[in-house]
Amino acid sequence: MASSVLSSKKSRTFRPKKKWEKGTMKHELHKKAKASLHSGVDLRAAVRLPPEETYNDWVAIHVVDFFNRINLIYGTVSDYCTDATCPIMSGGQKYEYLWADTDRYKKPTALSAPQYMSMLMEWIESIINNEDVFVVQAGVPFPKTFIPICKKILTRLYRVFVHIYIHHFDKLVVLGAEAHVNSCYKHFFYFVVEFKLIEGKEFEPLQHLTAKLCY
């Protein structure tokens, strides 16, 4: 588990907590989605909305799964991603990501990569654990803001991939995590493209990698 290599300062943030309660419709949907990924089905086909499922439910279970998986992926390299090594949350020399929220940072603010990651994971966790947004009860409608919120979550999670691939790829190779991260990236990319959940400009930092892995 990634959490075993994290410092106590980081362990609370980089530990996925969101799970669908067993026996609920979303838990069954979650199992179905995961099963399709291990049955030899092409990832492009696996992300498509099943005819018997609803769009919002399908997006919800994938957002939670991607949060959990990307959270742990970052955890594998977080010991190498420090204020000293990564004083800017960036994706190479051309791309810098500023942090803003409605609480502590109301204006876009430059943070170190680990500070940005910590704020991001806590922010996402607070949203997906809010049952007024990520509805868990059958028959209760999602709010109108649900998809815009998911787009923002997924866009920011994509930036985690950008930072890891550009600044810590060598560590992924040493740790033997390259194949796993590549698979997760492909799954994520196919999903957000299938449902147009991230603007095209966000893909620019990894366009060459994407062309190699996904096309």
Side-chain angles (χ1 to χ4, degrees):
M1 290 290 291
S3 59
S4 65
V5 300
L6 301 179
S7 66
S8 58
K9 180 179 178 182
K10 295 178 180 179
S11 62
R12 186 178 70 84
T13 302
F14 301 104
R15 183 171 61 239
K17 297 180 180 178
K18 178 68 175 184
K19 294 182 180 180
W20 302 115
E21 186 177 349
K22 291 184 178 179
T24 63
M25 178 180 64
K26 287 188 175 62
H27 183 256
E28 294 304 312
L29 186 59
H30 162 77
K31 290 197 300 182
K32 182 185 297 185
K34 293 203 72 171
S36 69
L37 298 178
H38 298 286
S39 61
V41 176
D42 176 47
L43 284 173
R44 287 180 184 269
V47 301
R48 294 172 189 152
L49 180 66
E52 71 278 11
E53 307 299 348
T54 67
Y55 173 59
N56 283 345
D57 282 333
W58 193 241
V59 171
I61 65 107
H62 279 84
V63 168
V64 172
D65 282 351
F66 286 135
F67 165 68
N68 287 341
R69 294 167 68 187
I70 295 170
N71 194 354
L72 288 175
I73 286 172
Y74 179 69
T76 64
V77 299
S78 64
D79 281 353
Y80 310 100
C81 184
T82 67
D83 292 339
T85 62
C86 304
I88 298 172
M89 175 55 184
S90 62
Q93 296 181 344
K94 291 178 60 178
Y95 303 94
E96 178 179 356
Y97 301 121
L98 305 180
W99 178 259
D101 53 42
T102 58
D103 185 17
R104 293 175 58 185
Y105 297 94
K106 296 185 179 181
K107 294 182 179 180
T109 304
L111 299 176
S112 68
Q115 288 175 318
Y116 185 103
M117 299 296 186
S118 180
M119 295 300 300
L120 173 59
M121 299 307 177
E122 289 181 1
W123 173 75
I124 295 175
E125 189 171 71
S126 70
I127 294 174
I128 63 178
N129 285 326
N130 182 348
E131 295 184 8
D132 290 331
V133 180
F134 275 70
V135 177
V136 296
Q137 292 185 354
V140 177
F142 285 83
K144 293 181 180 179
T145 56
F146 176 70
I147 292 301
I149 288 172
C150 288
K151 287 182 177 180
K152 195 166 187 177
I153 290 173
L154 292 167
T155 296
R156 288 178 167 182
L157 282 175
Y158 186 78
R159 295 169 182 177
V160 180
F161 277 121
V162 173
H163 183 76
I164 289 175
Y165 269 119
I166 292 178
H167 296 281
H168 302 294
F169 185 76
D170 58 331
K171 298 300 188 298
L172 293 178
V173 174
V174 171
L175 293 168
E178 178 186 357
H180 172 72
V181 176
N182 285 348
S183 177
C184 185
Y185 178 78
K186 289 171 66 175
H187 184 197
F188 183 96
F189 178 80
Y190 289 142
F191 183 79
V192 297
V193 169
E194 173 74 15
F195 299 106
K196 299 180 175 61
L197 295 170
I198 294 182
E199 293 186 16
K201 64 181 181 180
E202 292 288 338
F203 300 126
E204 291 177 4
L206 296 181
Q207 57 184 334
H208 298 299
L209 171 80
T210 304
K212 180 179 179 180
L213 289 180
C214 304
Y215 295 103

